[in-house]
Amino acid sequence: MSKGNKKYFIIDFDSTFTQVEALDILGEISLKDSPERASRLQQIKDITDKGMNGSFSFRESLEQRISILNAHKNHLPKLVEELKKVVSTSFKRNADFFEKYADRIYIISNGFKDFIVPIVGDYYIKPENVCANEFEFDTDGNIVGFDKENVLSSNNGKVEQLKSLELKGDIYVIGDGYTDYEIKAAGLANKFYAFTENVERANVTENADHITPSFDEFLYLNKLNTAISYPKNRINVLLLESVHSKAIENLKKEGYNVEVYPAGLDEDELVKKIKNVSILGIRSKTQVTKRVLDNANRLISIGAFCIGTNQIDLEACLEKGVAVFNAPFSNTRSVVEMAISEIILLLRQLSDRSAKMHEGIWDKSAKGSFEIRGKKLGIIGYGNIGAQLSVLAESIGLQVLYFDIEEKLALGNATKCESLEELLGESDIISLHVDGRKENANIIGEKEFKQMKDGVIFLNLSRGHVVDIDALKNNILNSKIAGAGIDVFPEEPKSNDDEFVSPLRGLPNVLLTPHIGGSTLEAQENIATFVPNKIMEYINTGSTTNSVNFPNLQLPTLQNAHRLIHIHLNMPGILAKINQVLADHQINIVGQYLKTNEVIGYVITDIDKEYDKDVIKALRSIEHTIKFRVLY
């Protein structure tokens, strides 16, 4: 094959340019009213798969599928309409590439021109550059066969088709099937790229020069213009602690390379795992320490799939330019409902009474059993959860007191206490809803238990380290505490396979739950949507709304510009230096946004697309720069 500087791009259609096999969709249309619809569609799919993996004669597979389809010419407009909806996401994203290289892009497909030309025409690909089969119709318009003289209706047809084109230059083939690899095997292409965005076949990927999970990856590898600055399949995501499947689905759909691990990891394990990770997703068990972050040179963002972030060294994250997002509201209702239910259970001693019944003991008595109506509920921590608990508790007859170190507006008829001691002395029921900051360690200890009423009900659904567990045990045994509901512990098992060890096991009228206050399907689904969306918004646009540690910036959608994201230590003069670099390179600023906190400055600058690439190097070199990236 004669070589030149010119590059040609040979692209497959079914399951490459589109996400689906077109004849499968045609079958869904043509067999819509057939009583044998399900079995026939499965037959078509099975035959397609056998043909694609090279284990079945292509012409035979084509003949069999057409005979099963029972399709008509009138079905084709509907087929085109449906296929336009399922053009592969990364192809849609890179319409500019197809416009720029229209003369050098060829669709070579074992599919049919009848539906391919209208689809690819929207992406500037010329009809004469579409090489595919053609249907044959009878006089009534029924599809009865195909042009058997067309080389693409036979085995090895793509090879023969490409030979006939006599292209002079470098040839790159992108496809998902074995027939696409055959072009490279015949010596007609420089490289074969196995396209796996929609389907992955082992016998295809193992023969590929490169596996390309998206068209962005192909463009990136070949230094061609692309719609995004970095292929998303190169962004590695590590999700720990059985993060909800919806989060996995959302992140994979975005195109990221996602690895899932069911348990938490200790520091040594995470240090090893974190090296090539760009996005880390955790819940409450995994500790993200400074040492972990020192080994995380590619880390962009951490998602805490929970409310608290005390398990993350937020200051070290700032110093490394790592944005942290959590779900401050997503499981609020779930925690509140659990608190209400535990208050009722403990006041009625229902857990212990149920346990006795299971042992065959009938203990019918009102002793130690109370209504909740009229009791005083003391809420320590009047944030999102504490405030919502206040509203629900009041609606079922509890009198609400609350204490918070910050000024909080009372909801309903709740009464603010001026001190923790005041709340402890007044309350019949005490529920903790504080955050995990270090200052909150053991805020309830022996001294605080002594300040409580005798026979108080005590709940901790917040953080494990905020209660002195040994002091709690002593006060349960001496009946100061009449009942306790504990959902969080100073030390918790890393996974469900590890034993739970606690001094509280076996104590009377004590509800112990495995950190499940927010573990309802509704809450976990909400979190699994909220946190990934915030991370993806940050990566795609630079917006930091709801970030726990970064200055919060809500940015407009990037349009017809490139966005420069500069994270730096909050030192005087950095913005001036950034703008001086841009001025030195005669770059026009389309828009600029700045926000700071006590540690970092966050500058977003939108500039015209045309600029000297040396400007990137200069901006990275500004003193006190922490992280810099370009979005387009």
Side-chain angles (χ1 to χ4, degrees), residues 341-356:
S341 67
E342 290 199 347
I343 290 168
I344 296 171
L345 286 167
L346 292 167
L347 280 168
R348 298 291 296 274
Q349 298 185 3
L350 293 180
S351 177
D352 284 6
R353 290 169 190 263
S354 175
K356 284 183 178 180

Side-chain angles (χ1 to χ4, degrees), residues 337-398:
E337 287 187 3
M338 184 161 155
I340 293 288
S341 67
E342 290 199 347
I343 290 168
I344 296 171
L345 286 167
L346 292 167
L347 280 168
R348 298 291 296 274
Q349 298 185 3
L350 293 180
S351 177
D352 284 6
R353 290 169 190 263
S354 175
K356 284 183 178 180
M357 292 288 284
H358 282 283
E359 294 170 5
I361 301 170
W362 182 271
D363 182 15
K364 179 176 169 58
S365 169
K367 184 181 178 181
S369 186
F370 303 95
E371 290 185 354
I372 65 170
R373 180 173 47 181
K375 301 293 185 296
K376 291 182 179 179
L377 168 64
I379 300 173
I380 303 173
Y382 206 64
N384 299 322
I385 294 174
Q388 189 166 145
L389 174 60
S390 171
V391 173
L392 263 66
E394 189 176 315
S395 71
I396 56 174
L398 285 159

Side-chain angles (χ1 to χ4, degrees), residues 126-137:
K126 300 175 180 179
E128 59 268 30
N129 284 11
V130 176
C131 305
N133 285 296
E134 295 181 67
F135 285 125
E136 289 183 344
F137 306 90

Side-chain angles (χ1 to χ4, degrees), residues 434-597:
V434 298
D435 62 33
R437 67 186 73 181
K438 293 176 183 177
E439 295 80 4
N440 283 337
N442 288 343
I443 59 169
I444 302 296
E446 192 60 56
K447 172 188 169 186
E448 287 72 27
F449 285 120
K450 285 180 180 177
Q451 294 169 351
M452 298 178 190
K453 287 182 177 181
D454 291 339
V456 70
I457 298 296
F458 180 79
L459 301 183
N460 181 19
L461 279 66
S462 59
R463 293 290 175 268
H465 70 284
V466 303
V467 176
D468 182 331
I469 293 295
D470 290 326
L472 174 59
K473 176 183 177 180
N474 293 337
N475 282 276
I476 292 170
L477 292 175
N478 67 23
S479 299
K480 181 78 171 184
I481 306 295
I486 309 298
D487 186 50
V488 288
F489 306 87
E491 293 182 8
E492 298 179 358
K494 284 198 300 182
S495 76
N496 290 344
D497 296 326
D498 299 328
E499 183 184 1
F500 165 65
V501 178
S502 172
L504 302 179
R505 283 170 54 175
L507 297 180
N509 204 28
V510 173
L511 295 170
L512 301 179
T513 49
H515 205 144
I516 56 169
S519 297
T520 60
L521 290 177
E522 294 90 344
Q524 293 306 305
E525 282 198 22
N526 289 339
I527 292 169
T529 301
F530 184 86
V531 175
N533 282 349
K534 288 301 172 185
I535 291 174
M536 290 186 289
E537 186 181 19
Y538 172 60
I539 290 176
N540 292 340
T541 72
S543 288
T544 54
T545 310
N546 292 112
S547 172
V548 178
N549 62 335
F550 265 44
N552 276 210
L553 267 179
Q554 180 65 50
L555 298 166
T557 304
L558 183 63
Q559 292 183 334
N560 201 33
H562 285 186
R563 178 164 286 172
L564 311 180
I565 296 179
H566 194 278
I567 306 168
H568 54 269
L569 292 178
N570 187 6
M571 306 286 285
I574 302 290
L575 181 60
K577 289 178 182 178
I578 291 171
N579 288 340
Q580 187 59 56
V581 168
L582 298 176
D584 290 345
H585 288 80
Q586 297 183 319
I587 291 173
N588 182 47
I589 297 175
V590 178
Q592 193 167 54
Y593 316 87
L594 164 69
K595 206 158 188 183
T596 64
N597 62 22

